[in-house]
Coordinates of all heavy atoms in Angstrom, one line a residue:
S1 N 132.1 51.1 98.3 CA 130.7 51.5 98.1 C 130.3 52.7 99.0 O 129.6 53.6 98.5 CB 129.8 50.3 98.2 OG 130.0 49.3 97.3
F2 N 130.7 52.6 100.2 CA 130.2 53.6 101.2 C 131.2 54.6 101.8 O 130.8 55.6 102.3 CB 129.5 52.8 102.3 CG 128.3 52.0 101.9 CD1 128.4 50.6 101.8 CD2 127.1 52.6 101.6 CE1 127.3 49.9 101.4 CE2 126.0 51.9 101.2 CZ 126.1 50.5 101.1
Y3 N 132.5 54.2 101.7 CA 133.4 55.0 102.4 C 134.6 55.5 101.5 O 135.5 56.2 102.0 CB 134.0 54.3 103.6 CG 133.0 53.8 104.6 CD1 132.6 52.4 104.6 CD2 132.3 54.7 105.4 CE1 131.6 52.0 105.5 CE2 131.3 54.2 106.3 CZ 131.0 52.8 106.3 OH 130.0 52.4 107.2
S4 N 134.5 55.2 100.2 CA 135.6 55.6 99.4 C 135.8 57.2 99.3 O 136.9 57.7 99.2 CB 135.5 55.0 98.0 OG 134.3 55.3 97.4
S5 N 134.6 57.9 99.3 CA 134.6 59.3 99.2 C 135.4 59.9 100.4 O 136.2 60.8 100.3 CB 133.2 59.9 99.1 OG 132.6 59.5 97.9
D6 N 135.0 59.4 101.6 CA 135.7 59.9 102.8 C 137.2 59.6 102.7 O 138.0 60.4 103.2 CB 135.1 59.2 104.0 CG 133.7 59.6 104.3 OD1 133.3 60.7 103.9 OD2 132.9 58.8 104.9
A7 N 137.6 58.4 102.2 CA 139.0 58.0 102.1 C 139.7 59.0 101.2 O 140.9 59.4 101.5 CB 139.1 56.6 101.6
L8 N 139.1 59.4 100.1 CA 139.7 60.3 99.1 C 139.9 61.7 99.8 O 141.0 62.3 99.5 CB 138.8 60.4 97.9 CG 138.8 59.2 96.9 CD1 137.7 59.3 95.9 CD2 140.1 59.0 96.3
K9 N 139.0 62.1 100.6 CA 139.1 63.4 101.2 C 140.3 63.3 102.3 O 141.0 64.3 102.5 CB 137.8 63.8 101.9 CG 136.8 64.2 100.8 CD 135.4 64.5 101.5 CE 134.4 64.9 100.4 NZ 133.1 65.2 101.0
I10 N 140.4 62.2 102.9 CA 141.5 62.0 103.9 C 142.8 62.1 103.1 O 143.8 62.7 103.6 CB 141.4 60.7 104.6 CG1 140.2 60.8 105.6 CG2 142.6 60.4 105.4 CD1 139.8 59.5 106.3
L11 N 142.9 61.5 102.0 CA 144.1 61.6 101.2 C 144.4 63.0 100.8 O 145.6 63.4 100.7 CB 144.0 60.7 99.9 CG 144.0 59.2 100.1 CD1 143.7 58.4 98.8 CD2 145.4 58.7 100.6
D12 N 143.4 63.8 100.5 CA 143.6 65.2 100.1 C 144.2 65.9 101.3 O 145.2 66.7 101.2 CB 142.3 65.8 99.7 CG 142.4 67.3 99.3 OD1 143.6 67.8 99.2 OD2 141.4 68.0 99.2
N13 N 143.6 65.7 102.5 CA 144.1 66.4 103.7 C 145.5 66.0 104.1 O 146.3 66.8 104.6 CB 143.2 66.1 104.9 CG 141.8 66.7 104.7 OD1 141.7 67.7 104.1 ND2 140.8 66.0 105.3
T14 N 145.9 64.7 103.7 CA 147.2 64.2 104.1 C 148.3 64.7 103.1 O 149.3 65.1 103.5 CB 147.2 62.6 104.1 OG1 146.2 62.2 105.0 CG2 148.5 62.1 104.5
F15 N 147.9 64.7 101.8 CA 149.0 65.0 100.8 C 148.7 66.4 100.1 O 149.5 66.8 99.3 CB 149.0 63.9 99.7 CG 149.4 62.6 100.3 CD1 148.4 61.6 100.4 CD2 150.7 62.3 100.6 CE1 148.7 60.3 100.9 CE2 151.0 61.0 101.0 CZ 150.1 60.0 101.2
N16 N 147.7 67.0 100.6 CA 147.3 68.4 100.0 C 147.2 68.3 98.5 O 147.8 69.1 97.8 CB 148.4 69.4 100.4 CG 148.0 70.8 100.1 OD1 146.8 71.1 100.1 ND2 148.9 71.7 99.9
L17 N 146.4 67.4 98.0 CA 146.1 67.2 96.6 C 144.6 67.4 96.4 O 143.8 66.4 96.6 CB 146.5 65.9 96.1 CG 148.1 65.6 96.1 CD1 148.4 64.2 95.7 CD2 148.7 66.6 95.0
P18 N 144.1 68.6 96.0 CA 142.7 68.9 95.8 C 142.0 67.9 94.8 O 140.8 67.8 94.9 CB 142.7 70.3 95.3 CG 143.9 70.9 95.8 CD 144.9 69.8 95.7
L19 N 142.8 67.3 94.0 CA 142.1 66.4 93.0 C 141.4 65.3 93.7 O 140.4 64.8 93.2 CB 143.2 65.8 92.0 CG 142.7 64.9 90.9 CD1 141.7 65.6 90.0 CD2 143.9 64.3 90.1
F20 N 141.9 64.8 94.8 CA 141.2 63.7 95.6 C 139.9 64.2 96.0 O 138.9 63.4 95.9 CB 142.1 63.3 96.8 CG 143.3 62.5 96.4 CD1 144.6 63.0 96.8 CD2 143.2 61.3 95.8 CE1 145.7 62.2 96.5 CE2 144.3 60.5 95.5 CZ 145.5 61.0 95.8
T21 N 139.7 65.4 96.5 CA 138.4 65.9 96.9 C 137.5 66.1 95.7 O 136.3 65.8 95.8 CB 138.6 67.2 97.7 OG1 139.3 67.0 98.9 CG2 137.2 67.8 98.1
R22 N 138.0 66.6 94.6 CA 137.2 66.7 93.4 C 136.7 65.4 92.9 O 135.5 65.3 92.5 CB 138.0 67.4 92.3 CG 138.4 68.9 92.5 CD 139.2 69.4 91.4 NE 138.5 69.4 90.1 CZ 139.1 69.6 89.0 NH1 140.4 69.9 88.9 NH2 138.4 69.5 87.8
S23 N 137.5 64.4 93.1 CA 137.1 63.0 92.7 C 136.0 62.5 93.7 O 135.1 61.9 93.3 CB 138.3 62.1 92.7 OG 137.9 60.8 92.4
A24 N 136.2 62.8 95.0 CA 135.3 62.4 96.0 C 133.9 63.0 95.8 O 132.9 62.4 96.1 CB 135.9 62.7 97.4
D25 N 133.9 64.3 95.4 CA 132.6 65.0 95.2 C 131.7 64.4 94.1 O 130.5 64.7 94.1 CB 132.9 66.5 95.0 CG 133.4 67.2 96.2 OD1 133.2 66.7 97.3 OD2 134.1 68.2 96.0
Y26 N 132.3 63.7 93.2 CA 131.5 63.0 92.2 C 132.0 61.6 92.0 O 132.5 61.2 91.0 CB 131.6 63.8 90.9 CG 130.6 63.3 89.8 CD1 129.3 63.3 90.0 CD2 131.1 62.9 88.5 CE1 128.4 62.8 89.0 CE2 130.3 62.5 87.5 CZ 128.9 62.4 87.8 OH 128.0 62.0 86.8
N27 N 131.9 60.9 93.1 CA 132.6 59.6 93.2 C 131.6 58.4 92.8 O 131.0 57.8 93.6 CB 133.1 59.3 94.6 CG 133.7 57.9 94.8 OD1 134.2 57.3 93.8 ND2 133.7 57.5 96.0
Y28 N 131.6 58.1 91.5 CA 130.8 57.0 91.0 C 131.7 55.8 90.6 O 131.3 54.7 90.6 CB 129.9 57.4 89.9 CG 130.6 57.7 88.6 CD1 130.8 56.8 87.6 CD2 131.1 59.0 88.4 CE1 131.5 57.1 86.4 CE2 131.8 59.3 87.2 CZ 132.0 58.4 86.2 OH 132.7 58.7 85.1

């Protein structure tokens, strides 16, 4: 509920997959 967006951005930084950040920016 509160930290999944941050976790997705960490995954992007770790694996260099921008899709994670795009998902985090509209994470419902």
Side-chain angles (χ1 to χ4, degrees):
S1 297
F2 297 103
Y3 304 106
S4 54
S5 293
D6 294 332
L8 288 169
K9 290 177 180 178
I10 291 172
L11 288 174
D12 180 11
N13 293 332
T14 304
F15 298 103
N16 192 26
L17 291 173
L19 182 60
F20 285 121
T21 295
R22 290 178 61 191
S23 179
D25 289 339
Y26 188 57
N27 176 25
Y28 67 96

